[in-house]
Amino acid sequence: MSLRRFAPVALGLVLAVGLTACGGTTKDSAASGSGSTGGSAVADPNAAMKEGVKMAFLPKQLNNPYSDIEVGGGQNALTELKGEYKLVGPNDASASSQVSYINTLIQQQQDVIGIAANDANAVCPSLQQARQAGIKVVSFDSDAAKECRDVFVNQATTEGIGRKLVEMTRNLTGGQGEIAILSATPNATNQNAWIAVVDEELKKPENAGLKLVATVYGNDDDQKSFQEAQGLLQTYPNLKAIVSPTTVGIAATARYVSSSSYKGKVAVTGLGTPNQMREYVKDGTVSQFALWNPADIGYLAGYAGVALSSGKITGKEGETFSAGKLGDYTIGAGGEIVLGPPTVFDSANIDQFDF
Ligand code: RAM
């Protein structure tokens, strides 16, 4: 059973720019300047969602259960909207691994590219070429540089995620002791933004007893993440918690800790999928971790992509659109669309979730 965890966002006034006489935005005119960078394109909030929109999803990597769930949500959205869904992507999450895929998608004349960027800047020149060719760009999960995309579908606010990571760590350690972060890749936009918030949170008086001793990178590779977890525990014998803000990292860390003498002594927390973490919650390795429903990110990105392609939105703050079963959304500052707050999972609620 999968829970619908996000109530539709109530819409206030329709702030989007009103109707224009031209009646909709063509692919070419919409390309001339939209998104968070500002520009001349004007949204038509009454435009119909177009059928037949070709939207390609390019996640960080293909062999990641989290990404698979995300793009599954995107596929559902495109099916509902009678569009054409496509999935492409690299097997590793390294900085430049997505560039060649973007170039191919331009040649294939996709209408929309949805991308979870492995590196905000490495993908930027190709995404700019795509936009010049009239293709709309929706970043989701991990943002591209703002000037290279029309909107960013963020899973929760960056501050909300960073604070939640520290709050869980404080709960699990009693607010005292050495902690370490096991992240994804060194260039990941999303992880780095969350870690920056963690750094700020740790300066607050209530967190004065927590000391961040190391940040290491498992590159969203299961084996490397496992080895990094092992290395942290050997290097820092007083470690009280490993915080892993990546589904790959937290699962690998939990697997290592669960079969080691650190089980029950060193807290493991961060961001994970309930299905990957269930056994470690049941065996007492993990008490608390957080996430959102990845499928909803892909689904929201799909609706945002078709709304952009239809001229219903251009990416400017205040524009609104409807995202099917998720309800209505308003574009925030910097072209950001926030899915909803993260959910904390523990032994009391984990069996209510299946993803
Ligand atoms: C990993 C990826 C992804 C991130 C999740 C939480 O699967 O790094 O980008 O959002 O973890």
Side-chain angles (χ1 to χ4, degrees), residues 10-23:
L11 274 187
L13 290 174
V14 174
L15 297 173
V17 182
L19 291 174
T20 59
C22 65

Side-chain angles (χ1 to χ4, degrees), residues 60 64 66 141 155 190-191 194 220 245-247 271:
K60 278 183 170 180
N64 176 338
Y66 173 94
D141 182 68
Q155 40 277 71
N190 51 348
Q191 270 85 16
W194 302 331
D220 272 352
T246 140
T247 58
L271 305 173

Side-chain angles (χ1 to χ4, degrees), residues 70-347:
E70 260 183 340
V71 296
Q75 183 168 25
N76 288 343
L78 269 292
T79 303
E80 285 176 18
L81 293 167
K82 299 191 170 54
E84 283 179 42
Y85 164 86
K86 186 184 185 84
L87 171 64
V88 294
N91 286 322
D92 68 89
S94 62
S96 59
S97 60
Q98 293 170 310
V99 172
S100 63
Y101 292 94
I102 300 169
N103 295 338
T104 305
L105 292 172
I106 297 171
Q107 282 159 17
Q108 293 171 345
Q109 299 186 310
Q110 293 292 312
D111 296 308
V112 188
I113 295 174
I115 180 168
N118 281 322
D119 181 301
N121 299 314
V123 292
C124 198
S126 311
L127 290 180
Q128 284 295 31
Q129 278 172 26
R131 294 179 77 205
Q132 275 153 20
I135 297 173
K136 299 299 181 189
V137 176
V138 178
S139 58
F140 63 96
D141 182 68
S142 183
D143 203 3
K146 280 192 179 54
E147 66 272 20
C148 315
R149 48 75 170 161
D150 294 279
V151 293
F152 169 43
V153 174
N154 201 349
Q155 40 277 71
T157 65
T158 300
E159 289 71 29
I161 297 169
R163 286 194 196 120
K164 188 60 82 186
L165 291 169
V166 176
E167 186 189 304
M168 292 188 297
T169 309
R170 201 174 52 233
N171 289 344
L172 298 169
T173 57
Q176 294 296 325
E178 295 183 356
I179 63 171
I181 293 175
L182 196 161
S183 188
T185 55
N187 292 325
T189 328
N190 51 348
Q191 270 85 16
N192 286 344
W194 302 331
I195 292 169
V197 177
V198 167
D199 286 338
E200 284 308 305
E201 283 294 298
L202 290 177
K203 292 179 188 151
K204 293 189 174 165
E206 65 266 33
N207 300 318
L210 294 173
K211 185 164 176 241
L212 179 63
V213 292
T215 299
V216 297
Y217 301 91
N219 292 350
D220 272 352
D221 175 89
D222 175 69
Q223 272 311 311
K224 173 144 172 64
S225 303
F226 187 89
Q227 284 156 11
E228 291 291 340
Q230 191 172 17
L232 280 175
L233 289 160
Q234 278 161 8
T235 312
Y236 301 97
N238 296 322
L239 208 59
K240 290 287 174 291
I242 296 180
V243 187
S244 188
T246 140
T247 58
V248 180
I250 192 175
T253 303
R255 191 169 82 251
Y256 175 70
V257 172
S258 71
S259 59
S260 77
S261 57
Y262 302 104
K263 182 178 165 188
K265 298 190 186 116
V266 176
V268 177
T269 191
L271 305 173
T273 67
N275 285 355
Q276 281 182 290
M277 298 307 289
R278 195 177 323 278
E279 66 176 291
Y280 307 115
V281 170
K282 303 267 180 195
D283 79 3
T285 306
V286 174
S287 303
Q288 266 191 348
F289 66 98
L291 201 71
W292 39 84
N293 186 343
D296 289 346
I297 302 175
Y299 185 88
L300 183 52
Y303 269 82
V306 175
L308 279 166
S309 189
S310 305
K312 223 175 162 55
I313 57 173
T314 66
K316 289 195 187 71
E317 184 174 1
E319 292 172 354
T320 59
F321 66 103
S322 188
K325 64 173 183 170
L326 295 177
D328 296 331
Y329 282 84
T330 301
I331 300 177
E336 197 171 306
I337 304 165
V338 178
L339 177 66
T343 297
V344 174
F345 305 98
D346 57 22
S347 61

